[in-house]
Amino acid sequence: MVSVLDKPIYDEAILDRIVRRINQEGIKTSVTPNRFVKVADEKTARRMRVILINENLLPSEIDPWQIFDKERWTTTDMERNRNFQHAQEIMITEHIKAIEGIDNVKLNVMWPKIELFNEQTQPAKVSVIIFPMLGSDITQNRKKIEGIQRLLQTAIEGLQLENIVIIDQAGNIINNFEEE
């Protein structure tokens, strides 16, 4: 059997309400000597957690968000790598948004796909859409745009200048300095 909640329920009235509500669903329950409510399987326990939350039947000492925060025993390298990349993207976005004259930023990073043979590895690529504040010169300020490029190269390992595209909200490429 599986516990519906991760903590024991010591308040007799709350325990009784929870058991009665689970029984209304036609689900067999049991209460252990150490006050845990148990049901047959994890699928049933998940369903009952949702019902208890929706009907405000959780004891006050149980944080409803903790119910959904389940640690797994293992994390794959792929998951760990994706979590790192996501954190990097958030950090980079926040740093760019901190530059004077920028209202908002949309960042798209194509992370390098590491292959067995180095010559088959795809390079990192980045596109950034900058939404300037009203009256800002950010889209014409070459020093600030070059600063954004350096920030991106510092944050993303192996990123080359030719793989960075910075555009304004109208879709104009603003880091194409060769044409100037």
Side-chain angles (χ1 to χ4, degrees):
M1 295 192 84
V2 176
S3 289
V4 175
L5 303 171
D6 290 340
K7 293 185 178 181
I9 304 168
Y10 296 110
D11 185 311
E12 197 64 44
I14 293 173
L15 180 62
D16 185 54
R17 281 197 309 256
I18 289 173
V19 170
R20 273 190 288 134
R21 181 60 186 98
I22 293 172
N23 288 337
Q24 282 177 0
E25 294 294 315
I27 297 169
K28 183 178 180 288
T29 63
S30 66
V31 178
T32 65
N34 52 355
R35 319 289 288 179
F36 283 91
V37 178
K38 302 259 186 176
V39 293
D41 55 43
E42 183 58 37
K43 182 178 178 184
T44 305
R46 268 196 307 271
R47 188 170 134 236
M48 293 318 308
R49 288 179 198 122
V50 170
I51 289 172
L52 294 175
I53 291 170
N54 283 339
E55 296 181 13
N56 201 24
L57 292 174
L58 289 181
S60 59
E61 64 270 7
I62 294 178
D63 177 13
W65 292 108
Q66 259 184 335
I67 288 174
F68 301 108
D69 187 22
K70 298 291 182 194
E71 275 295 315
R72 294 178 297 190
W73 286 96
T74 63
T75 303
T76 65
D77 288 342
M78 187 176 92
E79 289 171 314
R80 199 174 298 112
N81 192 32
R82 181 63 199 130
N83 290 342
F84 173 75
Q85 291 171 349
H86 181 67
Q88 284 288 96
E89 291 169 11
I90 291 170
M91 184 264 319
I92 293 166
T93 300
E94 292 303 314
H95 278 291
I96 295 172
K97 285 168 70 173
I99 297 171
E100 184 181 342
I102 296 179
D103 185 38
N104 202 0
V105 173
K106 291 208 185 273
L107 177 72
N108 184 23
V109 179
M110 189 178 106
W111 294 92
K113 185 174 178 183
I114 308 299
E115 297 292 341
L116 180 60
F117 301 105
N118 236 5
E119 59 274 356
Q120 293 177 341
T121 298
Q122 298 293 317
K125 296 180 181 179
V126 177
S127 66
V128 180
I129 303 173
I130 294 179
F131 299 90
M133 290 181 174
L134 200 57
S136 170
D137 73 334
I138 186 70
T139 58
Q140 290 87 32
N141 190 326
R142 184 174 178 152
K143 285 189 179 215
K144 286 184 180 178
I145 299 302
E146 287 173 341
I148 293 171
Q149 289 176 325
R150 280 190 299 278
L151 179 113
L152 291 167
Q153 284 185 296
T154 302
I156 300 169
E157 186 177 343
L159 181 63
Q160 300 297 314
L161 271 177
E162 63 267 12
N163 293 329
I164 300 173
V165 177
I166 302 174
I167 58 178
D168 64 10
Q169 76 278 13
N172 302 312
I173 297 174
I174 58 177
N175 71 322
N176 192 358
F177 302 123
E178 288 98 36
E179 294 178 2
E180 295 177 7

